[in-house]
Amino acid sequence: MILKDSRGVAAILVAMMITGLVGIAGFATDVGYIFYTRFKLQNTADATVLAAIRDIENRDTLGDNVITQNALDPAELKEKRIELGQWDPESETFTPTDTPASDRTAVRVYLQKEIPAFFGRIFGKETYHPSGQAVAAYVVKGAVVSLGATLLEVDTEKAALLNGLLGNLLGTSINLFVDGWRGIATASIDLIRFLDLAKIKLGIGTTEALLDNGEVSLLDIIDLTLQALKTEDTTARINLELLRSQILFADIDPINLKIKLGELIQIETNHDAFVKAEANVLDVIRVAAEVFNSKSAVSAAVPVNLPPLLQLDLRAKVVEPPVIKIMQVGESIHSAATRLYVNAKALDIDLGVLRTDVHVPLYLELGAGDATLDRINPDSVEMTGSSSTAKLFLGEIGPDLFFSTETHDQDDFTPATLVDVELLGIPVKAVAKSFVDAEGGSSSLTFDTPLPKTHSINATAGTSVTGLTSTLGNNLDVSLQVGPHGGLLDTLLNPLLNLLLSGLLNTVTNAVIAPVLEPILNFVSTGLGVYPGRTDISVLNFAYGYSIVQ
């Protein structure tokens, strides 16, 4: 009897254990399926919110695409919400708002799916509802900075001034009333969206390729600006269209000119680092007009009386427009009112016993300005700025450096072989490099909100071309080599060579540099209101990146 009772108890225990194991297996199946679905929904919510905040206007379409790419059917979701709002970093809370989409700084995505229960049905639980949620918000990652050699005063109460200013830059008559200019001056566009629209228009896939190769006309820029405007900026839209029509019906060259977008807007870092970088519409149109003006401006005829044995290679970039750049901390920006490259060469002589090759390459910047972004605070931007009346370099320079918007100094130039002579089979070479900077002011600048704000730095006035070249000669660093080994001949010929170089510099200064610069300086200062020696630095707005914050 005892054995029979034990076997009965064992059977009951086995049955209970099997039931428990089945229950545990069923519970594990339910829990595993819930966690798998929740993990998938969370990953999809993260990807969706990042896509949505990159292009808020098309967030729903982008959201459905991302959901589909993650092997989920949007129609099968029990709930899908893509909400716009504001993110408070202090309280770490998201608040949905009804303000225009372009003014909202965060996106919240909530996804929920209904899945069947397995073990839960034993207890009357038919379905589960796992979910995923993510919030992405704009975070300050940089600043939109404009740097130029002159400040063009903008007073929207003086329509005649703005009409004349823009008209002079474009070579036509512009007629907008006070309210029109005020509407344009108070409107903003997102430069990132502007560039994305340009990529679509030109069929260019990457921002880097767009800035390097994308070319547009002035009317294209106005059209892109109209597309990038906020929908509620009706006053700006009406007056930009009026401005466009006045330019369209004017017979002026800038309509047909094309510029690279990289000359108007610059981004050094990865485009993905920024999602929003607003700038004032008037600033963008004005800088675009100055870019076109600099393209169409032709330097006055320059009389150059050269000695018989000299020939001249001259490059000039007259009236460089301000530079607009989306910058991160540590990056720099550079501009100059006028850039001039002169390479004075002595005619080559090859008489068998005597062979000569003598040239002096000079690079001159007038009204040079530099700025570095030092720090970004919640309510201000800190920069270091400097200006220079003129910078004069003696050395080799390539096209990339000549047109560069990066800060550069003498370390960026390579020494030039000024003299390469061979007499009776003995080679004589003189390699030299020199630099002089008529430095102006240099100071730390703080741009407090609300932006935009502008600071001006004045350079020292009164620097003469003769004074610059004289200092350049004093700073000359010559490396002399006579024959294959040098030695005594170096010492003997060094005074003669220095005399030769000094005479060549004086010839270039008196016969080339001064006559070339005088009409350029007069044209720049009196004709266009550009005064070399003053650098104007403006912080137009913060530049925003994005990240998942919750």
Side-chain angles (χ1 to χ4, degrees), residues 269-291:
T269 55
N270 189 333
H271 176 230
D272 291 336
F274 299 107
V275 68
K276 183 179 179 182
E278 290 191 351
N280 178 270
V281 171
L282 183 56
D283 283 319
V284 174
I285 297 298
R286 176 178 61 81
V287 171
E290 291 195 54
V291 171

Side-chain angles (χ1 to χ4, degrees), residues 195 199 204-214 261-262 267-271:
L195 294 175
K199 283 192 287 188
I204 296 177
T206 67
T207 302
E208 182 180 6
L210 177 73
L211 296 178
D212 287 342
N213 305 311
L261 275 169
I267 307 177
E268 274 191 14
T269 55
N270 189 333
H271 176 230

